[in-house]
Amino acid sequence: MYKTQCAKEWHKSRDQALTDRHAPQPKAVAHHNKQERGKDEGKGDGSGGAGNNDELSTPAAAAAGRGGGEGRGGGGGSPCGNMNKLLYSPATEGQASIWPLPLSYINGSRTIHISTDLTFQASIPSELLNNAFHRYYDLIFSHRQKHTTHPGHRVHSSLSSSSPSSLSSYGNKDRQLCAMEEVGKGDGLRLVSVIVLTSSEKLQLETDESYLMEVPDSEEGEVLIMANNVYGVLRALETFSQLCTYNFATKRVQIKHAPWVIRDSPRFPHRGLLIDTSRHFQPLATIKGVVDSMSYAKLNVLHWHLVDTESFPLEVPKYPSLWDGAFSSQERYTTEDVEEIVEYARQRGVRVMVELDVPGHAASWGVGYGDVWPSVDCKQPLDVSNKFTTQLVDGVLDHLSRVFDYKLLHLGGDEVDTTCWDTTPRIRSWLNATNITSQAAYLRFVRRAQRSALTHGRDPVNWEDTFNTFGRDLDNRTIVQTWLTEEAVAKVVGAGLRCIASYRRFWYLDDLKLEWENFYGYEPLKSITRPQEQALVLGGEVCMWGETVDPSDIFQTIWPRAAAAAERLWSPRHKTDRYVEQYGEVSKRLKRFRCLLTQRGVAAAPVESRPRSPPRGPGSCFTQ
């Protein structure tokens, strides 16, 4: 049943495709050169969308490249079936409404139906996959089907106990038949076969999220998903669910433009969304909703800005008075709460990167432990001269390393004004006795926190401010998150450090003037052409700072603008570079994705309106 013999060929082709994932679209290069040099050098270069070597330029050529496929997975005669047609043929761009766009795909022109008897079956036992099969079954069959005999019921399915012990399975064996009539054999496609090549469920920066998926053009076939690990399967299931639509005329789930063969892998390994729960508290249900919505857009890092000047909502058992700095006794996170969020996110392929912003942005620490304040009138940055400050920071980092398992740990370090140290007599005396300046003390604090993180097996992440101030004096394992200038990414990787891009003029969600085009148009690798420097850009994040959002408006402020950045971070650059010349098509696909979010309960704002604005009068969500 499982076509593992295709794995080697798939990996070879995938690796080759990934070498070109950062290649810019030729017209974008020509336009950039024209702007830079003040003359048109793009004429006659033969560039253009139709000429790209990963696409079929005409419908006739597209039809010639599509595989009609027979048998399981629409596979045709060879063991790898339609996959071979994908690997050695260009892909068509005409029909996909998938967000974000896959690495490459081919598709056909048939419509197939999906049976409510649909069963997911995997080659390894995995509770994570079983849970995912449950979730995606419910998303695909969110509408009551035409065979339902009791209006108050829908399909009920549970884990199958009759499958071989080597498999994970979710299907219809224990369905409550009182809620549904028996469905005939011709009712639609019934099986999704999942091949997982490794059993590891480790979720880190280097985790492979690639997958191959074949959807047949016959309802007698099966869907085939192949991935290195369970997280690649999660991405494939999201793509599969987006191919499935409900036909209200027939009251059945269908897939149009079958067969499909999709080869997919993200452009960047780190694709994040920052949420800030220190300026406004966000309850667990809201954070879980954010994680769900991230998984729909294939974002994979929740950057949790937990603590700041305004509040310290986190429980640290060794220092129980720290969360006295919370807004109230009801706006706190227990250790169990944090562990629950980390596991909830892992189940959806999302890592949680916690941020402990020090030594600035830390006045709330002193509510419980006033000794870390320089004085009651000057509360931050934390008192660099006090040994208890170092002890407290180490204790918090030790706690965080126990409850957060992502190897990237954010230490902040931004917007540090050392005036407090210079004007507090006690600290001024310490600086003089130590024979260092306040700036040197700032570096000393940052390096000390970095060493603590490294001792706990974590790679330190710091905001751009630390790089601008100290440059190569930072530990060479530092990851710099840029936000102040567009040129910072090139400067960071030029210095040999890794980088996460979050330029505020394009990717700050709290700026309500920024529309989706701004988010889509930002290219993290602008002006970075050397492969060794491109490899140092781990990816990027959009940032939802919390001053003006609370649970009532966070989703419509994040979505759908974050989805624009998500596609820039997932899809090959030559595809996303074309959004200016294909604006209408991208806008149409984004509107469809926004509708999908709203159908799944995510309160995404209209595409054609400013964030947190109402729709511009009556109309379909596909046009707003």
Side-chain angles (χ1 to χ4, degrees):
M1 177 183 296
Y2 298 109
K3 305 174 186 178
T4 53
Q5 59 264 48
C6 300
K8 184 175 181 180
E9 193 165 6
W10 166 49
H11 274 275
K12 179 180 178 182
S13 67
R14 168 188 166 275
D15 291 344
Q16 178 59 42
L18 289 180
T19 62
D20 299 326
R21 68 192 186 280
H22 297 314
Q25 204 270 341
K27 282 188 177 179
V29 173
H31 178 70
H32 174 72
N33 291 339
K34 179 180 178 181
Q35 286 186 322
E36 292 295 315
R37 293 191 290 269
K39 58 184 179 179
D40 187 358
E41 296 185 4
K43 294 179 180 179
D45 64 356
S47 63
N52 289 338
N53 63 6
D54 73 326
E55 300 169 330
L56 297 177
S57 56
T58 66
R66 294 171 185 153
E70 297 177 359
R72 295 179 176 229
S78 91
C80 298
N82 280 331
M83 189 185 77
N84 285 326
K85 295 184 176 68
L86 173 63
L87 303 187
Y88 302 112
S89 301
T92 178
E93 288 284 328
Q95 305 292 348
S97 58
I98 305 163
W99 194 284
L101 276 175
L103 178 65
S104 54
Y105 62 89
I106 56 174
N107 61 280
S109 58
R110 298 187 182 182
T111 297
I112 61 171
H113 295 93
I114 309 298
S115 172
T116 52
D117 283 344
L118 184 69
T119 297
F120 297 83
Q121 196 169 66
S123 60
I124 62 169
S126 169
E127 181 182 0
L128 184 147
L129 283 184
N130 282 332
N131 294 337
F133 295 159
H134 276 268
R135 292 197 308 275
Y136 279 100
Y137 183 94
D138 289 340
L139 288 174
I140 292 168
F141 295 103
S142 59
H143 289 281
R144 193 178 299 120
Q145 301 297 288
K146 71 174 185 177
H147 296 282
T148 302
T149 55
H150 299 288
H153 295 273
R154 61 175 298 278
V155 183
H156 293 274
S157 301
S158 63
L159 295 178
S160 170
S161 59
S162 61
S163 299
S165 60
S166 62
L167 303 179
S168 289
S169 170
Y170 176 72
N172 64 342
K173 299 291 191 298
D174 300 317
R175 183 187 336 163
Q176 297 181 8
L177 296 179
C178 65
M180 173 165 285
E181 298 173 355
E182 285 293 344
V183 181
K185 282 290 182 184
D187 187 56
L189 188 144
R190 292 168 172 262
L191 180 61
V192 177
S193 293
V194 176
I195 306 170
V196 188
L197 302 181
T198 65
S199 60
S200 172
E201 295 189 2
K202 182 180 179 181
L203 184 60
Q204 289 296 339
L205 178 67
E206 65 276 5
T207 297
D208 185 359
E209 298 171 272
S210 63
Y211 66 89
L212 171 76
M213 181 167 65
E214 293 188 23
V215 178
D217 60 358
S218 167
E219 294 172 5
E220 300 303 313
E222 67 184 31
V223 175
L224 171 67
I225 293 173
M226 182 184 297
N228 271 334
N229 56 55
V230 295
Y231 301 108
V233 176
L234 294 184
R235 305 306 176 220
L237 290 173
E238 176 57 39
T239 298
F240 177 66
S241 72
Q242 292 187 25
L243 292 177
C244 296
T245 58
Y246 185 70
N247 186 317
F248 281 84
T250 62
K251 297 185 179 180
R252 301 175 72 185
V253 172
Q254 64 185 22
I255 294 178
K256 300 176 71 174
H257 308 297
W260 287 89
V261 187
I262 299 173
R263 177 184 58 183
D264 208 0
S265 188
R267 182 183 174 198
F268 292 103
H270 185 107
R271 308 178 308 281
L273 166 65
L274 178 151
I275 62 168
D276 171 8
T277 60
S278 60
R279 272 61 177 256
H280 277 98
F281 181 82
Q282 301 289 351
L284 294 187
T286 301
I287 298 174
K288 289 179 178 179
V290 169
V291 170
D292 284 331
S293 62
M294 290 174 63
S295 70
Y296 303 151
K298 298 187 175 75
L299 291 174
N300 69 348
V301 178
L302 177 68
H303 178 167
W304 193 353
H305 188 86
L306 252 173
V307 178
D308 211 293
T309 296
E310 290 77 9
S311 73
F312 196 115
L314 176 67
E315 178 187 28
V316 181
K318 188 175 180 179
Y319 297 100
S321 295
L322 275 173
W323 69 357
D324 290 350
F327 286 126
S328 73
S329 62
Q330 297 301 304
E331 293 170 293
R332 294 173 170 174
Y333 302 108
T334 66
T335 299
E336 293 76 17
D337 290 338
V338 171
E339 291 172 339
E340 182 178 343
I341 291 297
V342 170
E343 177 58 19
Y344 189 90
R346 187 186 75 87
Q347 291 281 331
R348 289 149 182 81
V350 175
R351 308 113 168 103
V352 182
M353 180 177 72
V354 65
E355 180 179 351
L356 190 72
D357 200 349
V358 289
H361 290 278
S364 60
W365 294 56
V367 177
Y369 295 96
D371 288 347
V372 300
W373 283 339
S375 70
V376 293
D377 298 319
C378 200
K379 299 179 179 180
Q380 59 185 7
L382 298 176
D383 185 351
V384 70
S385 69
N386 190 340
K387 291 183 179 180
F388 177 67
T389 300
T390 300
Q391 176 186 333
L392 185 60
V393 171
D394 286 347
V396 175
L397 289 176
D398 178 70
H399 174 68
L400 295 179
S401 68
R402 296 174 188 272
V403 294
F404 293 94
D405 55 4
Y406 191 38
K407 71 178 183 180
L408 274 58
L409 198 160
H410 208 300
L411 300 174
D414 61 313
E415 297 180 321
V416 175
D417 181 354
T418 60
T419 302
C420 245
W421 295 344
D422 291 323
T423 58
T424 302
R426 172 175 46 82
I427 300 177
R428 180 72 256 169
S429 297
W430 177 84
L431 291 171
N432 291 335
T434 313
N435 196 29
I436 60 174
T437 65
S438 58
Q439 279 295 93
Y442 173 20
L443 174 60
R444 179 172 173 167
F445 194 107
V446 169
R447 289 291 301 265
R448 180 67 180 79
Q450 288 187 333
R451 287 196 299 272
S452 181
L454 290 164
T455 299
H456 289 96
R458 301 295 188 265
D459 288 353
V461 185
N462 285 98
W463 290 107
E464 178 189 338
D465 313 52
T466 60
F467 175 78
N468 293 341
T469 306
F470 307 121
R472 296 178 187 272
D473 289 332
L474 296 173
D475 189 283
N476 60 13
R477 289 163 288 186
T478 302
I479 299 168
V480 178
Q481 184 163 3
T482 61
W483 69 285
L484 290 168
T485 64
E486 189 171 12
E487 299 77 19
V489 176
K491 292 179 180 178
V492 169
V493 299
L497 297 178
R498 291 173 293 171
C499 182
I500 296 169
S502 296
Y503 183 36
R504 60 180 174 175
R505 296 190 183 278
F506 288 92
W507 278 6
Y508 267 31
L509 292 157
D510 54 301
D511 186 346
L512 300 184
K513 299 187 297 296
L514 296 178
E515 300 184 0
W516 73 267
E517 297 93 335
N518 301 104
F519 288 83
Y520 204 102
Y522 176 55
E523 170 48 51
L525 296 187
K526 181 180 178 182
S527 303
I528 303 174
T529 58
R530 298 174 63 192
Q532 60 268 39
E533 292 184 352
Q534 291 180 341
L536 293 174
V537 182
L538 303 182
E541 292 180 5
V542 287
C543 300
M544 184 67 268
W545 296 106
E547 286 88 344
T548 60
V549 292
D550 65 9
S552 71
D553 58 9
I554 187 170
F555 290 101
Q556 59 179 302
T557 312
I558 292 174
W559 304 105
R561 295 182 301 161
E567 182 156 285
R568 175 64 76 167
L569 290 168
W570 178 279
S571 306
R573 180 177 175 180
H574 70 268
K575 293 186 178 183
T576 54
D577 271 355
R578 295 176 312 179
Y579 87 102
V580 173
E581 63 190 79
Q582 297 185 354
Y583 174 87
E585 180 61 30
V586 176
S587 176
K588 180 180 178 181
R589 287 195 305 106
L590 183 58
K591 289 170 185 175
R592 290 181 63 88
F593 183 70
R594 182 254 172 172
C595 286
L596 179 137
L597 291 175
T598 59
Q599 290 163 2
R600 294 181 179 184
V602 180
V607 172
E608 298 293 349
S609 298
R610 286 283 180 89
R612 297 191 343 210
S613 297
R616 299 173 182 174
S620 163
C621 74
F622 293 102
T623 64
Q624 295 180 333

